[in-house]
Each structure stands twice: as structure tokens, then as C-alpha cells.
Amino acid sequence: MHLAHRTWRTRLGATAIAALGALLLTALPAQQARAAATLTNPGFEADATGTATPTGWSTYSAAGQHAASFTENGGASGNRRLSHWSAAAYKVETYQYLTGLADGTYTLSARVRSSGGQNSAYIALRNCGGAEQRTDLPPTANGAWIRLVTSVRVTGGNCTVSLNSDAHAGEWANFDDLTFAPGATGLAVKGGDLSTLPKNEAFGAVYSSATGQRGDALGLLRGAGMNYVRLKVWVNPADGYNNKARVLALAKRAKAEGMKVLIDFHYSDRWADPGQQNKPAAWASHPYSQLRTDVYNHTYDVLNALKAQGTTADMVQIGNEINGGMLWPEGSTDNWTQLAGLLTSGAQAAKAVSSTTQVALHLAKGGDNAGTRWWFDQAVARQVPFDVIALSYYGYWHGPLSGLQANLDDVSARYGKPVLVAETAYASTLANGDFLENNIATSGQLAPGYPATPAGQAANLRDVMNVVEAVPGGRGLGIVYWEPAWTAVKGSGWDPQDPSSGNAWENQALFGYDTRLLPAESWFAHR
């Protein structure tokens, strides 16, 4: 926030002359750039500070507000950037018309920053022969630049690159380092962890569409565009949920909906996460050599049963949020050789069942590049086999989107692997739906720029998806929303050993307290 305020003060001073010069242009028609097949002046370096319509670009604004678009110092690279800002409410578009393009799919990339709060602020490709494609700017409270992409199918040889703001007084957006080149973007995985759905249903949970029609939660989410279901597996849980039998049943439902399945092995009888990686009771006295066999046999048994019923796992996690290892103490990161052996046993079992099943290793380090690098360097050095790097990212715990982007970009290139945000979620309200205080319960816990409202929840999911989509080389696989159907119903609490335990997550579900799907669900159908 300090950086944002400092940037704002600089902007007020730097733009005073720019605004004065730009005001002289408001009575003139928008400058029309000559169309070309490549972007002209993509870094806004061709003009002096304060240019209202940069070389190669055109400006359109409501009520002659051309002064709201101008170049100024402080680019993501180079000296200049394009900024949208005005002391009064404004609506402005800076655009460039391309022609002579070969038909095909093209991707626009841009570095952006934004105050947030606008009615809309986005990059877009339009008039390209089909529907407009756009990507919204995230709020960047820490002042860091974010790279965004959007892609479109061009037919007819023409396309318009468009930078847009519809903003209230004082709200701003920055743009720099645009590229427009052949290529496609999109997300292969748009998933949800529905592990608790069977328990919720057993205790009476009901689900409705956004318009109030009752339905099956799985079918409603699939209808909204969700294409992957993540299911955790516990070895012998006290309440009988999240075990092999329950996973088989829910996987069958998911596949019947045409969805793919990601199996998340915890190698425990209950929650495994960075703070706890406890061995199942049945394995408690086993030495390391036996634990390797246990991991192999358990992994093979569950995955082979899935295959036998015609629901082969498409992806599998060998461990859950294993920052510090798994099956403590034998599999702790204090003994990486043994941890590597356990991970290798699980990966080998998965491939023995199905060579096409992707093996993911999963950490809760979305914004921690140094920690992610250290962990995967250790795994690679010990030749642990894996196909996918999976990370949890919760903005209120793991830092700003810029940190997530830096981490995803780096590790996908460093290890030559696709990356998956295997867990993410956000609150739609701070109200409590049961007696147990929620994990995110106060405004001070929220990520900057994202209020705990249905719109704030939707924007947060949208922006996480957009960052994953922008990973270079098409290595951003997608996201999995954690427990979108875990609503507050008595009996479906967090502790498998305590039937009276409550739910600390219901305000982050994608079904509201009125049982209806929330607006965030619409983003599963986006690209």
C-alpha cells in the first residue's frame, strides 16, 4: 500500500503537464493510426511524456475525455508507459487496428497495473471476425506489474488491439510491453475439489442454480464449465468419508458428467498439510522400508480400482501440501533421501496402473519462489519422477498475484513442467453460516483489492485463472477451486473424529447461504 501511495503522488505531479497538453486535443478528432500487420509502438517509447494519443495508436473517449489516456514515465521496461487516469469519472479506449493478418489464432500479451475499483479495466481483441476476447486487469495494491494474455481466432485478416478503462474519479490503469503474435492460450484444468460433497449430501445439503432451480451440485458445477474433480483419499478415516469406497463412487459420478478426475493422496487417516503429515494408524509402527511398500500398495490399490470400474484417474497427487515432506518423521524433508524414496514409490505405482495418468507433486507455496525452487531442486536431484508442479495459492495467505506469477513463470521454465494451482478459494461474505468461526472472518484478513462479496470472490478467481493462463509456453494447466460445495450443514464438520465439529469454510464455497451458485462459477466457462 505504501508503494501504491508513493506511485500515486508521483503520478499527480508527472501528469499535470500531460493533462494540460492533452486537454488541447479534446476538441480534435481521435488520431487514426495507419493499419499494419504488426503492433506499432508497443512499449509507448516513441513519444514524449504527456502524449494523449501515442504514435501508432488511436484514442476514443466518452464526452471528449482524451486527456484520460496519456504516456508518462515509469514503464515496466524502458522509460514510458500508457496510463489511464482522470480527476473525474472517465471512459477511455486506446486502440490499434491491425490488418493484413493471416487467418489463425493470435495472442495479445501486456504488462499491466491497476488501482482496482473501476467499472471495468481490461485488454481486448475485437473486430477479429468473431466474439471479442478480453482479460480484466487485477488490482495491484503492491504496485507490481502483472503480465496478462488474451487470444482470439482471426478470420478476414483484421483485428483491433484495445486497452480500456471505465473508471471513477482518481482510479488508474497502466499498460506496457504489448506483443501480438500467433498462438493460443486457455486453461485445460478448470476444476473443483469436491471431496466433502458426499458427506454434505448425507447430512442434508441442497444446491441450486444461480436462478434458484434445485439440482445436483456436481451437475450444476459441470454446467457452469467445471471440467475436473479433485478427490482426496484418506487411508482409514474415522467417519468413513474420503476413503477408497467413497472416492470410487464420486469418481464414477464425475466421469458420468464428462469430467476428469484428480486423485489427491494424503497418506494419512485425516488432514495432511504443511503443519501435519501424520502416518495412518495402520502404518504407525512401520519402518521406512515398509512405508515405501505401504505407499506403493495403497496408491496402486486405489488407482487400479478406479481403472477397473472404468474411471481411470487423469492426474494424481503423491502427497498433499508436502512442504515439509510426508509420513513424518521418516518422510520429512530433514531426510530428503527417504522422502524421495516414498514419492518415487507413489509415482511408480500410479504409472504402473496407467502410463497416461499425470503425476503431480503439491506444495502450499504459491507465492514463495525460493521455497518452491529449493524443494523441487531436492526432488530433481534425487530423480523423483513427476509430470506436474502443483501449488496451493490463497491470496490472503500466500501474497500478491505478482508473487504467484513470478513463481509459476520461473519454476515452469526451470523444470520444464506444466504448473497447476491445485487449491485456491476466496470469501464471498464475512458472515458466518454456523457456530464455528471461519478461516477468513475479518476484513483485515482479506487480500487487498478483493472485498468479501460475491463480486470480490468472482474477481479473485478470475484473476488467479488469468495469471495461470499467462504462464509462458502454454505451461499453465489451470486451477482447482477448493471445496466449492462444502456448505454449512450440521454433521458435516471438519473433524472426522468429531461429528459435532463445524465448518470454517462455508463462506468460501461457490454456493451461497441461500443454496444458489455464486457469480464466480461463471469463470469456469471462460476460455
Side-chain angles (χ1 to χ4, degrees):
M1 186 63 70
H2 174 70
L3 286 175
H5 286 170
R6 186 171 63 191
T7 301
W8 179 242
R9 288 195 296 268
T10 302
R11 177 174 291 100
L12 284 174
T15 59
I17 296 175
L20 178 62
L23 283 170
L24 300 176
L25 299 176
T26 59
L28 301 176
Q31 176 182 328
Q32 288 291 332
R34 188 163 57 93
T38 58
L39 276 175
T40 300
N41 193 20
F44 306 102
E45 300 292 327
D47 305 280
T49 298
T51 302
T53 303
T55 298
W57 295 86
S58 301
T59 303
Y60 172 80
S61 63
Q65 297 168 318
H66 285 45
S69 173
F70 53 89
T71 57
E72 63 177 340
N73 292 334
S77 64
N79 297 318
R80 308 275 193 275
R81 67 192 181 208
L82 177 76
S83 291
H84 288 172
W85 174 83
S86 177
Y90 65 95
K91 185 174 183 179
V92 67
E93 176 190 14
T94 309
Y95 64 96
Q96 190 167 148
Y97 180 64
L98 300 177
T99 190
L101 299 169
D103 286 356
T105 302
Y106 291 80
T107 293
L108 171 68
S109 173
R111 302 283 296 282
V112 303
R113 300 192 305 185
S114 169
S115 63
Q118 299 98 326
N119 295 319
S120 62
Y122 58 92
I123 64 172
L125 295 172
R126 58 182 182 81
N127 302 327
C128 306
E132 175 181 300
Q133 294 295 316
R134 66 169 64 176
T135 300
D136 296 88
L137 274 59
T140 50
N142 65 337
W145 291 88
I146 296 287
R147 187 185 62 261
L148 297 180
V149 296
T150 193
S151 64
V152 72
R153 175 75 182 175
V154 172
T155 57
N158 304 321
C159 194
T160 299
V161 173
S162 178
L163 313 176
N164 294 264
S165 294
D166 180 356
H168 308 102
E171 293 169 347
W172 54 269
N174 300 153
F175 307 87
D176 201 4
D177 298 341
L178 277 74
T179 65
F180 180 82
T185 65
L187 299 177
V189 178
K190 293 173 282 190
D193 189 317
L194 295 175
S195 299
T196 307
L197 177 59
K199 188 174 181 179
N200 242 42
E201 291 173 330
F203 284 94
V206 295
Y207 302 94
S208 305
S209 70
T211 55
Q213 282 72 45
R214 289 281 180 88
D216 170 64
L218 193 62
L220 290 169
L221 290 166
R222 175 55 175 158
M226 187 178 286
N227 65 1
Y228 240 95
V229 174
R230 180 180 187 244
L231 303 173
K232 66 173 171 277
V233 184
W234 290 339
V235 176
N236 188 24
D239 62 1
Y241 288 92
N242 302 303
N243 62 8
K244 173 184 169 183
R246 300 280 187 177
V247 167
L248 287 170
L250 192 48
K252 187 174 287 188
R253 287 174 61 185
K255 290 282 188 172
E257 291 283 352
M259 304 171 82
K260 293 186 176 182
V261 171
L262 163 57
I263 301 299
D264 174 16
F265 285 98
H266 283 224
Y267 302 111
S268 180
D269 290 335
R270 55 186 293 122
W271 302 100
D273 55 44
Q276 54 189 350
Q277 294 284 338
N278 301 314
K279 286 179 284 189
W283 305 358
S285 63
H286 292 181
Y288 167 69
S289 59
Q290 180 60 45
L291 288 173
R292 283 203 64 171
T293 301
D294 293 333
V295 168
Y296 187 96
N297 289 344
H298 173 62
T299 306
Y300 187 95
D301 178 53
V302 173
L303 296 180
N304 195 51
L306 285 164
K307 181 180 179 180
Q309 71 171 13
T311 59
T312 300
D314 299 281
M315 191 184 301
V316 57
Q317 282 180 217
I318 307 303
N320 185 75
E321 295 190 330
I322 50 177
N323 301 12
M326 64 186 199
L327 294 167
W328 290 344
E330 287 82 359
S332 166
T333 51
D334 291 337
N335 191 333
W336 249 105
T337 298
Q338 290 192 172
L339 173 56
L342 295 169
L343 295 171
T344 298
S345 289
Q348 289 174 339
K351 293 295 188 179
V353 173
S354 169
S355 62
T356 61
T357 295
Q358 293 182 295
V359 171
L361 301 179
H362 174 215
L363 307 181
K365 288 185 175 290
D368 180 4
N369 182 237
T372 305
R373 269 190 173 213
W374 175 83
W375 198 98
F376 277 95
D377 281 353
Q378 303 300 317
V380 169
R382 291 164 178 82
Q383 299 182 322
V384 176
F386 67 98
D387 303 306
V388 174
I389 295 169
L391 300 171
S392 294
Y393 174 75
Y394 300 96
Y396 43 76
W397 288 334
H398 297 134
L401 284 168
S402 56
L404 173 66
Q405 181 161 84
N407 196 16
L408 295 178
D409 289 359
D410 177 70
V411 298
S412 64
R414 183 177 180 84
Y415 306 107
K417 303 288 186 181
V419 288
L420 172 72
V421 172
E423 292 185 22
T424 193
Y426 203 74
S428 67
T429 179
L430 293 178
N432 201 349
D434 66 4
F435 65 89
L436 183 64
E437 183 179 39
N438 290 326
N439 287 330
I440 302 303
T442 67
S443 59
Q445 294 174 289
L446 298 173
Y450 299 100
T453 62
Q457 180 189 55
N460 186 265
L461 176 59
R462 175 200 72 198
D463 293 344
V464 173
M465 294 175 78
N466 288 343
V467 164
V468 178
E469 185 183 20
V471 174
R475 290 195 177 115
L477 273 184
I479 66 96
V480 177
Y481 197 96
W482 199 74
E483 292 285 7
W486 191 10
T487 54
V489 292
K490 187 176 181 180
S492 184
W494 69 272
D495 189 347
Q497 295 177 301
D498 181 5
S500 67
S501 62
N503 181 356
W505 200 259
E506 76 275 4
N507 66 327
Q508 298 192 68
L510 293 184
F511 291 90
Y513 293 173
D514 61 358
T515 78
R516 297 188 182 197
L517 268 174
L518 291 162
E521 54 81 19
S522 65
W523 290 101
F524 289 108
H526 180 63
R527 285 202 293 272

